[in-house]
Amino acid sequence: MSEGDAELEARLAEQEEFEPPESFVEQANVSDPDIYDEFEAEWPDCWEAAAELLDWYEGYDQVLDDSNPPFYKWFTDGKLNVSHNCLDRHLDERGDEAAIEWVGEPVEEENITYTYEELHREVNECAAALEEMGVGEGDVVTMYMPMIPELPIAMLACARIGAPHSVVFAGFSADALATRMNSADSEYLITCDGYYRRGDPLDHLKKANEGLGGVEHDVEGVVVAERLMDGDGFGHDYADNQHAYADLVAEQEGAEVAPVERDAEDMLFLMYTSGTTGKPKGVKHTTAGYLAWATWTSQAVLDIKPEDTYFCSADIGWITGHSYIVYGPLSLGTTTMMYEGTPDYPERDRLWQIIEDYEATQLYTAPTAIRAFMKWGSEFPDRHDLSSLRLLGTVGEPINPRAWKWYYQHIGDEACPVVDTWWQTETGGMMITGLPGIKKMKPGSAGPPLPGLDVRIVDTKGEQVEAGRAGYLTVQKPWPGMLRTLYKNDERFIEEYWQEYSDTDSSDPDDWVYFPEDGAKIDDEGYITVLGRVDDVLNVSGHRLGTMEIESAIVGVEGVAEAAVVGGDHEIKGEAVYAYVILEDGFEGSDEMREEIIEGVEDAIGPIARPEQVVFTPELPKTRSGKIMRRLLEQIANEEELGDTTTLRNPEIVEDIQKQVQDD
Ligand code: WT7
């Protein structure tokens, strides 16, 4: 580091607040501070501002129908189509402009630009192929694909014909795929033969086929996109219901499929996410409210303009990619980047190379990535001209001030606002973050809630806590992008998100409060610092993993009697999985056993849930009433000072476990 850098770093380390850069404010999509008061005064009609960003076949009657909380309806009886909004309506003015810039793994230096015209054609042909295969309006189509162009094409094709999609992250296991297809009664799957990771081909169809083996109903059709180059394939034969994507689409050359008119409240997609219990939750998002939310936040927070080249480094298999690679950006008619590979292959400057090559204007990434960049060192971004960047964003977990400042300094050159955006799969899009052209920034705090949102930090009784005190995050009024229910499970929807702070017998919407299951605190200027999950959900590299899901995977391994999973601090991942395991008599805590447990978790969920440490113990620390003391296990994982252990039924076990963790 040069001396200048060191001085700069020292100065930034002291600084707690940052004004939005003047050059940014001058051109920001939203820069009038009155928006906060106006939206509050005009709620819920303020959300017409979001609806106005969309093209409607038929206007809506009511902005919000809150007659049956928490089953809210937005933009009632409006008619629209998401694929029309993301494609057709841009053709006249932006047909020749890039819609998607796809950057492949550097296997053969093949990058693809899809103009709006080209993407429109691909989506039409894919839609025609899906219809030909029998997919009809309302049929859930599962997609199990990595970051290849066929994924957003298939999503938009489904939206075009009114078939909801359910995208399963490609890194998830075969079991996870089967669980999700079963839960959604999904009879169609779009997947691929394989893909490249750090230059090596991976056999994805093997996993997909294993997953299909676990589907309990008939599967009508499977489409296989072929990503692998000649010679890299794994030689799978296709079953009778399996078709090569390219063949199906070739038969539909030039086909046009008119977008179906969808009702505002029709389901656009399902996305499964982890919760407290072992079963993933099928979060249901709808057509109008979701698209309005993704579009409005993309414009107001990410400051997207049609002429931008916007880069979000997430995977489309997660909600971030749905809202902020595909739907929000395309609805605004901009150019969205899609990067297939990892940030460190072929070298640790890969993202910076891409930003320079494409002159990207925004970067939206996760704190876990920023921590890795920091660790690798600023020489990698320093090699590249990043001056095209205008705004930086983060999402997925809290970002500590040091990482925030590194990002601000080394990537943004102090000329880009950094938006730290808090939201969830369930919220559809961003909820808490300062509008970058208006609000000053406080590293470590996500900022104030967006205009039109009523976010409060409360205690266990639902009373607002004082500034500076930790409490629970709640959202007290509905918003257009919110989930509508959990798929075919209204009861669990109420239990998981509403019960805690609502009067569930009431039909008055004021008695209904949404609880995201995060802890938070607020300062005297209304800036919110999110402290993390308060349920048994871990946040590993910005991904949500249920401890129960991991525990049940471990207990499924032969020889395991009981397991407890907690999160331990991790430099890059934020949180890492720590598993404490009791074996049945006759089984030994050997390295092989450890391997089997790790494999068991990878098979049930995927490599992201891989335990960092497996600790064998004859007992778990339990209270006198028999509850596992998770907090204690967390403290042990973090090698922290332990709290009071005298209330334990078996305090002697603690030292044993501690010793093992330290030895490893
Ligand atoms: C959970 C939601 C939102 C898309 C990616 C994750 C945590 C998310 C932040 C942030 C602190 C954050 C919360 C939330 N989280 N963003 N900016 N600051 N925490 O979506 O998998 O549904 O997870 O991620 O704990 O509840 P998800």
Side-chain angles (χ1 to χ4, degrees):
M1 200 191 292
S2 71
E3 207 178 345
D5 268 0
E7 269 168 35
L8 192 62
E9 210 133 286
R11 174 166 62 73
L12 290 183
E14 299 291 310
Q15 199 173 331
E16 284 173 6
E17 296 184 357
F18 295 78
E19 289 302 326
E22 201 49 51
S23 56
F24 180 87
V25 175
E26 279 165 11
Q27 58 77 63
N29 284 340
V30 180
S31 57
D32 181 358
D34 291 342
I35 187 173
Y36 288 91
D37 290 340
E38 280 168 18
F39 273 40
E40 196 179 328
E42 281 160 36
W43 192 92
D45 292 342
C46 57
W47 292 121
E48 299 213 57
E52 273 164 18
L53 297 175
L54 309 183
D55 229 27
W56 300 77
Y57 298 129
E58 233 175 86
Y60 48 88
D61 293 334
Q62 255 182 300
V63 172
L64 169 65
D65 171 359
D66 58 3
S67 58
N68 181 28
F71 301 98
Y72 299 100
K73 293 183 179 140
W74 287 89
F75 312 119
T76 58
D77 295 324
K79 303 277 186 271
L80 73 169
N81 180 285
V82 168
S83 144
H84 165 84
N85 271 282
C86 291
L87 300 168
D88 307 48
R89 67 159 162 162
H90 306 309
L91 291 180
D92 278 350
E93 274 181 33
R94 306 200 31 89
D96 295 333
E97 305 290 330
I100 296 180
E101 292 283 9
W102 182 76
V103 181
E105 273 251 315
V107 195
E108 252 183 22
E109 287 304 321
E110 18 124 50
N111 301 327
I112 308 175
T113 301
Y114 291 87
T115 64
Y116 272 93
E117 195 80 58
E118 287 163 342
L119 188 61
H120 180 259
R121 197 178 61 231
E122 300 269 350
V123 168
N124 271 275
E125 290 170 359
C126 179
L130 292 177
E131 279 187 335
E132 176 89 26
M133 203 169 69
V135 179
E137 198 171 342
D139 290 338
V140 177
V141 177
T142 302
M143 293 169 198
Y144 185 44
M145 279 193 268
M147 291 289 279
I148 58 177
E150 288 83 353
L151 176 54
I153 291 170
M155 289 163 74
L156 291 163
C158 281
R160 197 165 189 86
I161 61 176
H165 54 71
S166 166
V167 180
V168 178
F169 174 59
F172 274 138
S173 68
D175 281 1
L177 171 65
T179 311
R180 285 156 179 76
M181 285 187 76
N182 285 328
S183 162
D185 306 311
S186 174
E187 296 176 339
Y188 298 93
L189 174 69
I190 309 179
T191 184
C192 70
D193 58 346
Y195 56 103
Y196 295 92
R197 263 297 164 272
R198 299 194 167 82
D200 295 326
L202 291 188
D203 188 350
H204 190 63
L205 190 53
K206 178 164 177 267
K207 259 196 338 183
N209 281 334
E210 277 169 23
L212 285 166
V215 176
E216 287 150 7
H217 49 265
D218 285 342
V219 173
E220 298 295 328
V222 177
V223 184
V224 185
E226 289 167 342
R227 164 68 181 108
L228 298 178
M229 318 270 184
D230 285 346
D232 281 343
F234 293 90
H236 295 291
D237 291 327
Y238 290 179
D240 286 345
N241 67 348
Q242 295 186 319
H243 318 277
Y245 180 96
D247 294 347
L248 292 188
V249 169
E251 281 170 29
Q252 304 296 336
E253 211 187 311
E256 280 182 33
V257 177
V260 296
E261 271 191 29
R262 296 282 279 165
D263 186 84
E265 283 293 311
D266 280 343
M267 169 158 59
L268 177 64
F269 67 86
L270 279 176
M271 166 127 265
Y272 282 86
T273 186
S274 297
T276 306
T277 68
K279 255 183 97 191
K281 309 187 270 197
V283 169
K284 175 181 159 181
H285 281 294
T286 54
T287 301
Y290 170 81
L291 189 65
W293 199 251
T295 307
W296 184 81
T297 49
S298 291
Q299 189 183 59
V301 179
L302 297 170
D303 200 51
I304 290 179
K305 300 172 171 58
E307 57 278 14
D308 283 339
T309 299
Y310 156 84
F311 185 13
C312 167
S313 71
D315 191 294
I316 296 176
W318 307 101
I319 191 74
T320 305
H322 278 49
S323 302
Y324 300 114
I325 296 178
V326 182
Y327 290 119
L330 292 178
S331 173
L332 290 171
T334 196
T335 300
T336 184
M337 311 264 320
M338 188 176 164
Y339 174 48
E340 185 186 29
T342 54
D344 58 352
Y345 183 82
E347 280 204 65
R348 288 175 165 180
D349 65 347
R350 181 70 168 142
L351 290 195
W352 321 125
Q353 179 77 58
I354 294 171
I355 289 171
E356 177 171 2
D357 288 351
Y358 286 83
E359 298 182 34
T361 40
Q362 290 93 340
L363 176 65
Y364 191 33
T365 189
T368 182
I370 297 168
R371 289 191 297 266
F373 301 148
M374 245 171 96
K375 197 172 174 200
W376 298 341
S378 54
E379 66 261 34
F380 296 101
D382 286 352
R383 279 184 206 160
H384 297 277
D385 177 4
L386 305 179
S387 61
S388 56
L389 288 170
R390 184 172 87 240
L391 173 133
L392 302 174
T394 79
V395 59
E397 49 176 323
I399 178 164
N400 67 44
R402 211 166 78 84
W404 192 103
K405 288 172 187 176
W406 187 91
Y407 194 35
Y408 180 73
Q409 180 190 348
H410 292 284
I411 309 305
D413 196 23
E414 297 187 79
C416 303
V418 175
V419 284
D420 172 357
T421 61
W422 178 91
W423 57 291
Q424 311 180 290
T425 304
E426 291 87 342
T427 68
M430 300 161 179
M431 299 289 283
I432 304 175
T433 187
L435 286 173
I438 300 174
K439 294 289 183 183
K440 66 181 174 193
M441 301 165 275
K442 300 185 187 184
S445 160
L450 288 173
L453 295 180
D454 184 356
V455 175
R456 297 183 206 170
I457 314 300
V458 301
D459 61 19
T460 47
K461 293 197 211 85
E463 302 293 328
Q464 255 174 290
V465 301
E466 274 167 56
R469 300 283 288 272
Y472 301 96
L473 192 62
T474 61
V475 188
Q476 310 251 345
K477 280 195 192 127
W479 65 100
M482 68 196 302
L483 79 165
R484 295 303 191 267
T485 191
L486 293 177
Y487 189 60
K488 293 195 176 160
N489 205 341
D490 290 347
E491 219 169 286
R492 189 171 175 203
F493 171 60
I494 292 177
E495 272 168 33
E496 294 263 1
Y497 304 106
W498 304 92
Q499 197 153 278
E500 197 79 23
Y501 291 110
S502 307
D503 172 2
T504 53
D505 293 325
S506 170
S507 57
D508 179 352
D510 289 344
D511 292 330
W512 287 83
V513 173
Y514 175 82
F515 180 42
E517 305 198 80
D518 270 330
K521 58 184 186 181
I522 189 162
D523 72 9
D524 48 19
E525 291 181 301
Y527 278 59
I528 293 170
T529 296
V530 178
L531 301 167
R533 305 286 306 186
V534 294
D535 55 1
D536 294 325
V537 168
L538 307 183
N539 190 327
V540 178
S541 304
H543 301 312
R544 227 158 112 176
L545 297 171
T547 50
M548 280 264 274
E549 268 173 274
I550 307 174
E551 284 165 7
S552 71
I554 296 176
V555 173
V557 174
E558 203 198 328
V560 174
E562 203 182 336
V565 163
V566 300
D569 296 340
H570 189 278
E571 191 189 355
I572 303 294
K573 297 178 186 173
E575 245 179 334
V577 175
Y578 277 72
Y580 299 88
V581 176
I582 304 178
L583 295 177
E584 282 169 2
D585 285 347
F587 287 85
E588 217 188 303
S590 57
D591 284 347
E592 290 88 77
M593 195 69 212
R594 202 166 262 133
E595 264 318 300
E596 274 174 43
I597 288 170
I598 291 172
E599 254 172 54
V601 173
E602 293 196 347
D603 287 348
I605 304 167
I608 42 167
R610 189 188 164 89
E612 191 75 15
Q613 249 198 57
V614 177
V615 178
F616 295 108
T617 173
E619 277 177 62
L620 291 166
K622 289 192 177 161
T623 61
R624 297 231 162 85
S625 61
K627 258 192 88 178
I628 296 172
M629 286 272 279
R630 285 174 187 281
R631 190 162 316 142
L632 201 66
L633 291 173
E634 277 165 18
Q635 287 165 342
I636 295 173
N638 292 332
E639 304 191 18
E640 282 166 18
E641 197 79 41
L642 300 188
D644 184 14
T645 57
T646 54
T647 56
L648 286 179
R649 182 198 283 172
N650 50 354
E652 67 287 349
I653 200 69
V654 171
E655 229 172 275
D656 247 39
I657 304 180
Q658 252 179 329
K659 210 172 154 306
Q660 269 202 67
V661 172
Q662 284 158 5
D663 286 350
D664 262 33

